[in-house]
Amino acid sequence: MADISFKNWPFFWGVATNAFQIEGARLKGNRTESIWDDFTKKNVSVPDALNSPEREVASIAESADYYNKYKTDVNIMHHLGINLFVYAIDWTRIIPTGNFVNNEGVRFYEKAFRAIKNKAITPVIILFHWDTPMWLEKLGGIPSTKEVKKHFRFYVATVFKRLGKLCDFWLVSSENWAFAYYAYIEGLFPPNYKNDYLAFVKVLHNLNVMAAIAREEFDKAKDEGYIKARAWLGTNFDFCPGINLHNNKKLDNLYRDWNLHLLLEPLFKGTYPKVFIEFINEKKLYFKVNLRDIHYLKKHPLDWISWNFYRPQYFTEINKPLVLENEKNPSVLHSSGKYLLVWPKKFNDEKVAYTKWSWLIKPEYLLTGLKEIQKYYPDTPILIGENGCGDFDTVEVLNDGTQVVCDYDRINFLKSHIQQVMKGRAEKLNIVGYCVWTYCDIFSPSAGYRKRYGLVRVDFEDKKLHRYPKLSYVWYKNVIDSDGKTLKEINDKSLTEQFKLIAKPENWDRIIKYMK
Ligand code: BGP
């Protein structure tokens, strides 16, 4: 087991991003399609009504073209001062067909991660972020246990062998719940199954088996010298800490079983909360978690946790729904069928804050969630892998013609969450770092390109996809420079002065020019 004494690492201030959302160059360099290429080609719809938060899907053929612009982006991130960069790589860029290694794809990642490391930024590589290769999807995709076991093993063994020397911090997959739920129950994400509970439970289980396979290959790669002994392998999970509308301990435990234990226990303890087995039996699903898999999971536990925190989630008993006039969004029956997810306008007589896409804003639950995870995993390092605010950004043109985005709401969102990070550090919790989602404006799975998360603006109207700093870029630079001690107010004069200076075209051009 790696030496997980993270005490000897600096606190990590980073950004996170994901290949299919940022890379573009979808058919360049011998790459083949993933389910996200297929889906976004068939569902390119850009609704006329701007500023309507309904779902927009648009092409990822080019996106922010990180594939060709990574050198510029590395300079921008270096200037920002980050020391951690979380990147989910693209399976099909490396394995374009079942058992063929695409050297051009490997070479791209070697160059891109070496450029990151050359700027003293530590990379974190995520192996799978929802983008099943089309060639694997045609064999049954992630629900197909036999195919997944064989092909995922070949993929991760290839990555560890070819890229292992470039990275000490690895994550197997992103947001297993979001993928299983939105892609196999809701049908919102590709491969767009609807209410396929059998595929849903198989995907959740197979993602756990994939993690154990990655562990086995990771340890082999360490023995063979491809990966450093100190390297860590973990999971990047999505967990919305629950807010129970009623004082009901039984329901609290059920929520925790489905939202925390189901996502971490199999990966770290090789066990499943009984609610999952009961669910399979109640739904009479033709699936059984076999003992051989359980033994395999127990034998190959992970080392660390990256937790993507955006929002907590209100929930209530099925027979105690919100009154209609207090519903910001209609309530949703949880996939377990045991409780309701709700979005109240008011709670305890207080107006509840939401983003424009109705994502609940309650920063204090970053600390609550951290403590809840640590209660069950007391010695496991925890990174805040993603935290960010999707918004419609407006561009202002200063009198010298500089285009600027003063994203005050995003700064206030980040500030309120980083305040909780600083509390966690002061209480000596196992938090090892914090990453903003995301570095620059990219494709959003839930809303295309209008829902912007970037610290850096990408002008998608401009064929050069020019990058511009937002006010939040300068704000976060101050946070990093002060190791989280400087959380400037949005109307801080020194902040706007810095911003005007950095955003000045001649200054910004110097920052983004690729220096050897
Ligand atoms: C996380 C995903 C990211 C990113 C983020 C924002 O769940 O890991 O890929 O998309 O959410 O989500 P969205 O862009 O749908 O608002």
Side-chain angles (χ1 to χ4, degrees), residues 12-81:
F12 288 119
W13 293 102
V15 292
T17 193
N18 168 34
F20 80 75
Q21 294 174 256
I22 190 173
E23 234 170 60
R26 307 315 283 160
L27 292 179
K28 294 265 173 39
N30 289 330
R31 183 187 174 279
T32 57
E33 294 203 331
S34 77
I35 55 175
W36 276 89
D37 300 299
D38 182 59
F39 173 65
T40 48
K41 266 185 356 184
K42 292 175 187 157
N43 295 275
V44 175
S45 67
V46 182
D48 298 341
L50 265 189
N51 276 1
S52 63
E54 82 216 13
R55 178 170 163 74
E56 170 221 342
V57 178
S59 161
I60 55 174
E62 196 174 31
S63 184
D65 195 20
Y66 180 77
Y67 184 81
N68 292 302
K69 297 180 182 309
Y70 72 88
K71 291 177 184 172
T72 300
D73 292 320
V74 167
N75 280 331
I76 295 172
M77 289 189 267
H78 177 54
H79 180 83
L80 175 58

Side-chain angles (χ1 to χ4, degrees), residues 35-230:
I35 55 175
W36 276 89
D37 300 299
D38 182 59
F39 173 65
T40 48
K41 266 185 356 184
K42 292 175 187 157
N43 295 275
V44 175
S45 67
V46 182
D48 298 341
L50 265 189
N51 276 1
S52 63
E54 82 216 13
R55 178 170 163 74
E56 170 221 342
V57 178
S59 161
I60 55 174
E62 196 174 31
S63 184
D65 195 20
Y66 180 77
Y67 184 81
N68 292 302
K69 297 180 182 309
Y70 72 88
K71 291 177 184 172
T72 300
D73 292 320
V74 167
N75 280 331
I76 295 172
M77 289 189 267
H78 177 54
H79 180 83
L80 175 58
I82 60 168
N83 60 0
L84 195 78
F85 180 53
V86 180
Y87 195 91
I89 60 176
D90 184 302
W91 187 339
T92 26
R93 197 175 287 288
I94 294 181
I95 313 285
T97 53
N99 47 15
F100 169 70
V101 177
N102 174 27
N103 287 320
E104 200 165 340
V106 174
R107 259 198 307 282
F108 163 67
Y109 285 121
E110 275 176 339
K111 287 185 297 184
F113 286 115
R114 205 177 296 288
I116 282 285
K117 286 172 72 81
N118 289 347
K119 300 286 185 186
I121 300 171
T122 299
V124 176
I125 297 180
I126 301 175
L127 294 159
F128 180 71
H129 189 128
W130 310 346
D131 53 347
T132 312
M134 270 315 277
W135 57 262
L136 179 59
E137 192 57 34
K138 288 177 181 136
L139 297 172
I142 304 302
S144 159
T145 308
K146 186 167 79 57
E147 297 300 341
V148 158
K149 283 182 176 176
K150 182 173 100 182
H151 292 295
F152 190 70
R153 183 180 295 277
F154 180 73
Y155 164 54
V156 297
T158 304
V159 171
F160 292 150
K161 187 170 176 184
R162 303 289 300 274
L163 301 174
K165 54 194 174 305
L166 292 170
C167 186
D168 289 343
F169 297 97
W170 296 80
L171 297 165
V172 179
S173 58
S174 274
E175 307 201 345
N176 294 354
W177 175 269
F179 178 59
Y181 177 69
Y182 288 113
Y184 294 89
I185 300 285
E186 276 273 290
L188 203 61
F189 290 173
N192 310 98
Y193 291 32
K194 276 200 78 74
N195 297 323
D196 189 330
Y197 287 97
L198 178 59
F200 172 67
V201 296
K202 281 183 164 182
V203 163
L204 280 173
H205 176 63
N206 286 347
L207 285 165
N208 294 326
V209 174
M210 286 158 67
I213 289 170
R215 167 96 269 165
E216 189 177 16
E217 292 303 326
F218 191 75
D219 292 342
K220 251 193 249 169
K222 281 189 172 182
D223 296 343
E224 291 157 6
Y226 295 117
I227 291 185
K228 293 194 193 77
R230 69 175 189 189

